[in-house]
Amino acid sequence: NAGVTQTPKFQVLKTGQSMTLQCAQDMNHNSMYWYRQDPGMGLRLIYYSASEGTTDKGEVPNGYNVSRLNKREFSLRLESAAPSQTSVYFCASALTRQYEQYFGPGTRLTVT
Amino acid sequence: AQSVAQPEDQVNVAEGNPLTVKCTYSVSGNPYLFWYVQYPNRGLQFLLKYITGDNLVKGSYGFEAEFNKSQTSFHLKKPSALVSDSALYFCAVRGGSNYQLIWGAGTKLIIKP
């Protein structure tokens, strides 16, 4: 039981490049989330998916898109990376109505 | 709107002493409250939660938290700190939607030998 896995662990992009961050969970959770973590700002929700087939914007969705590919997988895409998107990105999952979220190890992204 | 505050950016405690990490909240309705810990270069780990029941909640690694409705607080505590408790601690509250948590900014806990 691997829990929540994320790939890649590290990535360096040039401004304007695109990439997709992958997330998968094997806990049969319904809800999945993408956060970014910046120093002194805690966690900010980018997008979430309450269930397979649905996605909703969080607090900071601009510049990102998501896909809930199936119940297990939830990807985050940066179409045209900007230096302001330099951050650590975390994926999380939860059983609906259980509220506690389980986190992946994170992806450290640098945009130059 | 739901919100949560962690008033201390950093807490320093000597090993063996009791520790407290503070959290206050503002919610409409019944609060669902959480504590998470983040070790360096790791994802967040769930420590404990309060939904209903006893005001003193016990969690992982010897941590506990006290829910105080009148003071709208949910402070994290441990009777005797370990150096290995040094980490970043986050308080969270259930958001307006069933699917979201609202996060505090985090408190860095440093335990000195």
Side-chain angles (χ1 to χ4, degrees), chain A residues 41-63:
Chain A
M41 300 193 72
L43 290 172
R44 292 186 291 171
L45 182 65
I46 305 171
Y47 270 93
Y48 68 101
S49 171
S51 60
E52 186 179 354
T54 69
T55 61
D56 285 286
K57 295 178 180 179
E59 181 185 355
V60 289
N62 291 345

Side-chain angles (χ1 to χ4, degrees), chain A residues 2-10 22-24 37 88-92 102-108, chain B residues 38-44:
Chain A
V4 180
T5 57
Q6 292 183 238
T7 56
K9 285 187 168 53
F10 303 93
Q22 306 286 354
C23 174
Q37 183 180 29
V88 181
Y89 290 86
F90 288 101
C91 178
Y102 294 83
F103 284 77
T107 294
R108 189 172 295 273
Chain B
Q38 185 181 30
Y39 298 103
N41 300 314
R42 303 284 295 275
L44 279 71

